Amino acid sequence: MKKNTYYITTPIYYPSANFHIGHCYTTIIADSIARYKRMQGYDVCFQTGTDEHGQKIATRAKEAGLDPKSYVDNIVENAKDLWKSLNISYDKFIRTTDKFHELAVQKIFTKLYEQGDIYKGEYKGLYCTPCESFWTSTQLIDGKCPDCGREVHEVKEEAYFLKLSNYADQLVKYIEMHPDFIQPESRKNEMINNFIKPGLEDLCVSRTSFSWGIQVPFDPKHVVYVWLDALTNYITSLGYMSDDDTEFKKYWPADLHLVGKEITRFHTIVWPILLMALDLPIPKQVFGHGWLVINGGKISKSLGNYKDPREYIKEYGVDAVRYFVLREVPFGNDGTFSEEALIHRTNADLANNLGNLVNRTISMANKYFDGQIANKHEKESIDKELFDAVNKVNQIVKEKMELLHVSEALESIFDVLRRSNKYIDETTPWILAKDESNRNRLETVLYNLLESIRVCATLLAPYLPDTSKKIKEQLNNFESSDNYLENNHYQVNIPTPLFQRIDKKVE
Ligand code: ME8
């Protein structure tokens, strides 16, 4: 049977400096969604990558005394290592310096030129180099770039333009007919009211003032504007405009482009218009999430106000970092990253709630039954609430994940863990253990707890893959049903703590 496909992407990040926790944020969320969809049986293509051309990279490379390609090679290697240490399960990693991408971009540019969607003119205007964005004077805020607040400078050059204006009506119609296309809702209104309705100016899509980019094939003093180069990554990686477009036919249109809010504009205006001009289907959804901020400000490569995320992984464990990022910020909003908050979350949820539950239950199974537990079916009414919680949670997770409410999906699993800890307090196994006549009830109680832990571990796999695996190893049970089973059987291992409590004070 043919499986349903699911194509999910992160932005392709600028390798202008090593990545920070903000890049990890998007990538970890995308990874959890990709893993969740795989668990649901989808044929998933999860793509990330790097956006390597443009003036900003060229300048950085020069400052570092390297040619641009060697400069980005180092950063890409570092990024791949970071993704490995975060257990990011991407299927594809595209670099815009990949030859197949460069060739496809040239073909796309030529096609759009030949059919009249791209034309030659003169560009006079304002440019923000860090954002690689053009602005009109009315779009500036206090004379500065409205995205990053930095200086813009005037540029004047012969350039090619993409006729965005030709497609504005079609775009508005598309957005109105497809309410899920731009999410969350607030961003959709912002796009329509602030950008599309006031009128779309044609977009400058080539530059002549620097050479680190993809050459316009029929006019080689021009390089393709970095955003046109970058956006098309989502289709070139699948073989669009190449000899083998099997994957393109299989996975396109994308199900989800996950992006930060500041680049929603490119993904919901420029990108669909490019696709309309190419006569290709529009992605099903663009989700523009909020930012992780540090001390009230955006974490920024150019401000350098951050630590290498691997330091947190080394100190607190990969799943502590994944959990924090997934759980702390309601998806769509901004959230604050701090080491203190990371420690707090790890202690409260991972060490106390999850870790203690697993440790206490497996210890008791060993202590009272040499680790061998079967269901003795000696139920009591007090069990009902736990059963209900365990049997409902997969449905809750499913509903939350369909809305991309990842934080709430995780919360619902942790509610069951909390409920299970409460069940230990209610059933007091250590008191049951004192009386031989309670033996079957005691075994039933431990069985119920092991089933709850197993179901939660199964559901946690997309978010905390290492921890999920460790729990299943400790349970010595890899049954993947996400419901309470009546006749499972356990021969548990000796428990080892999943998370250590962290007592460190952060300055
Ligand atoms: O914009 N909080 O690359 P970029 C949350 N190359 N997410 C953050 C973040 C933060 N503090 N900082 C960065 C580009 N991100 C282009 C993209 S796509 C065709 C081209 C994440 O390196 C977030 O996803 O500046 C944001 O959109 C992206 O990194 C920007 O990465």
Side-chain angles (χ1 to χ4, degrees):
M1 206 179 74
K2 194 173 169 289
K3 284 204 246 171
N4 281 333
T5 59
Y6 190 83
Y7 181 30
I8 175 171
T9 66
T10 72
I12 50 169
Y13 307 109
Y14 292 125
S16 52
N18 288 340
F19 295 174
H20 55 63
I21 194 81
H23 303 100
C24 300
Y25 178 77
T26 316
T27 313
I28 292 170
I29 294 170
D31 181 65
S32 303
I33 298 171
R35 286 174 183 268
Y36 178 78
K37 288 286 177 184
R38 285 190 201 112
M39 200 160 95
Q40 295 267 300
Y42 284 80
D43 174 343
V44 172
C45 179
F46 166 28
Q47 176 170 287
T48 188
T50 40
D51 183 1
E52 306 189 358
H53 296 122
Q55 193 174 356
K56 180 168 62 180
I57 304 269
T59 309
R60 283 295 182 94
K62 202 166 168 204
E63 285 163 6
L66 291 170
D67 66 278
K69 184 63 169 53
S70 316
Y71 179 78
V72 294
D73 280 350
N74 291 334
I75 295 177
V76 168
E77 199 176 312
N78 189 288
K80 285 187 173 171
D81 176 72
L82 175 62
W83 297 153
K84 192 162 165 225
S85 60
L86 278 169
N87 281 327
I88 303 300
S89 62
Y90 60 81
D91 300 294
K92 280 178 177 288
F93 189 107
I94 185 171
R95 303 181 55 176
T96 54
T97 50
D98 288 332
K99 203 77 215 144
F100 70 85
H101 172 78
E102 297 190 339
L103 285 173
V105 169
Q106 290 183 321
K107 287 187 191 166
I108 290 170
F109 199 95
T110 307
K111 176 176 162 62
L112 294 174
Y113 179 70
E114 284 172 355
Q115 69 188 36
D117 283 304
I118 286 180
Y119 64 92
K120 197 172 189 173
E122 189 185 56
Y123 182 76
K124 272 204 272 315
L126 303 159
Y127 196 71
C128 172
T129 306
C131 294
E132 303 281 13
S133 285
F134 296 104
W135 299 105
T136 60
S137 52
T138 52
Q139 286 171 325
L140 302 183
I141 298 176
D142 299 329
K144 305 241 167 78
C145 169
D147 273 355
C148 72
R150 280 173 283 208
E151 295 290 340
V152 293
H153 62 277
E154 253 185 57
V155 290
K156 184 175 167 193
E157 56 190 50
E158 175 190 289
Y160 288 89
F161 290 84
L162 176 69
K163 282 188 186 163
L164 291 187
S165 47
N166 273 2
Y167 293 91
D169 291 347
Q170 200 179 329
L171 179 63
V172 171
K173 241 181 243 141
Y174 185 86
I175 295 173
E176 279 166 0
M177 302 272 294
H178 298 84
D180 288 340
F181 173 52
I182 308 178
Q183 287 293 321
E185 198 69 20
S186 56
R187 303 239 199 276
K188 174 180 2 187
N189 302 334
E190 183 191 346
M191 291 304 127
I192 297 181
N193 298 330
N194 299 5
F195 293 104
I196 309 175
K197 289 258 163 83
L200 289 177
E201 291 190 25
D202 290 350
L203 180 73
C204 178
V205 289
S206 79
R207 308 293 313 275
T208 52
S209 52
F210 61 90
S211 60
W212 177 237
I214 301 175
Q215 261 183 1
V216 173
F218 50 87
D219 196 351
K221 71 171 185 293
H222 290 260
V223 295
V224 176
Y225 173 45
V226 67
W227 269 101
L228 191 147
D229 168 358
L231 287 165
T232 53
N233 90 84
Y234 301 128
I235 52 177
T236 61
S237 66
L238 301 177
Y240 178 68
M241 287 281 188
S242 80
D243 295 340
D244 181 2
D245 63 356
T246 327
E247 285 187 323
F248 178 69
K249 287 194 178 116
K250 182 173 173 192
Y251 290 114
W252 193 258
D255 292 271
L256 179 63
H257 290 315
L258 211 54
V259 300
K261 60 183 177 183
E262 81 291 357
I263 58 173
T264 310
R265 186 171 67 95
F266 286 103
H267 285 82
T268 58
I269 299 176
V270 181
W271 182 221
I273 287 181
L274 269 170
L275 290 165
M276 282 171 188
L278 293 168
D279 206 16
L280 294 177
I282 310 296
K284 294 182 197 149
Q285 188 164 88
V286 175
F287 192 103
H289 65 66
W291 288 338
L292 273 187
V293 297
I294 288 184
N295 301 327
K298 193 170 177 233
I299 310 161
S300 145
K301 276 184 255 188
S302 38
L303 294 175
N305 59 350
Y306 59 87
K307 270 197 198 175
D308 187 311
R310 273 160 290 215
E311 289 187 33
Y312 303 121
I313 300 171
K314 241 182 253 143
E315 191 156 3
Y316 307 118
V318 52
D319 281 350
V321 176
R322 287 180 66 108
Y323 183 74
F324 179 85
V325 158
L326 292 165
R327 180 70 178 78
E328 188 76 11
V329 186
F331 205 37
N333 300 357
D334 286 352
T336 300
F337 178 83
S338 74
E339 201 162 339
E340 253 173 321
L342 171 68
I343 291 173
H344 178 75
R345 273 279 173 209
T346 307
N347 283 342
D349 295 359
L350 298 178
N352 288 358
N353 188 4
L354 171 61
N356 273 348
L357 174 68
V358 173
N359 203 276
R360 286 209 284 174
T361 305
I362 297 186
S363 300
M364 288 191 288
N366 277 308
K367 183 167 171 198
Y368 302 135
F369 295 95
D370 288 330
Q372 281 228 44
I373 304 280
N375 191 359
K376 288 294 190 297
H377 301 283
E378 207 162 292
K379 291 186 185 156
E380 287 188 9
S381 56
I382 205 172
D383 301 347
K384 183 163 182 326
E385 221 185 287
L386 181 73
F387 289 146
D388 284 352
V390 172
N391 281 329
K392 267 198 319 230
V393 64
N394 62 11
Q395 189 54 32
I396 301 175
V397 168
K398 188 162 178 227
E399 285 162 17
K400 301 286 184 197
M401 289 304 282
E402 265 155 30
L403 297 169
L404 302 182
H405 292 173
V406 184
S407 165
E408 291 172 24
L410 255 184
E411 190 179 352
S412 66
I413 303 170
F414 276 76
D415 283 346
V416 177
L417 297 170
R418 207 165 299 115
R419 185 67 196 77
S420 306
N421 273 315
K422 189 167 157 227
Y423 181 76
I424 298 184
D425 299 339
E426 289 165 349
T427 52
T428 54
W430 52 93
I431 295 177
L432 292 174
K434 287 187 180 150
D435 187 340
E436 194 56 28
S437 67
N438 290 328
R439 202 104 183 118
N440 281 347
R441 174 61 187 156
L442 175 61
E443 194 169 344
T444 306
V445 163
L446 292 179
Y447 179 85
N448 292 343
L449 285 165
L450 289 170
E451 273 298 282
S452 168
I453 292 171
R454 184 189 59 74
V455 166
C456 290
T458 302
L459 291 170
L460 280 175
Y463 317 98
L464 311 178
D466 269 7
T467 304
S468 165
K469 190 160 153 259
K470 276 190 204 153
I471 297 173
K472 292 199 152 192
E473 277 164 5
Q474 295 199 18
L475 294 180
N476 200 8
N477 191 311
F478 294 85
E479 168 62 59
S480 64
S481 143
D482 54 11
N483 255 312
Y484 178 92
L485 297 176
E486 283 291 345
N487 291 307
N488 205 349
H489 185 269
Y490 290 92
Q491 169 67 67
V492 300
N493 286 322
I494 303 298
T496 43
L498 293 169
F499 295 93
Q500 302 287 353
R501 251 197 84 81
I502 307 156
D503 288 319
K504 178 176 158 179
K505 284 261 167 300
V506 181
E507 296 304 311

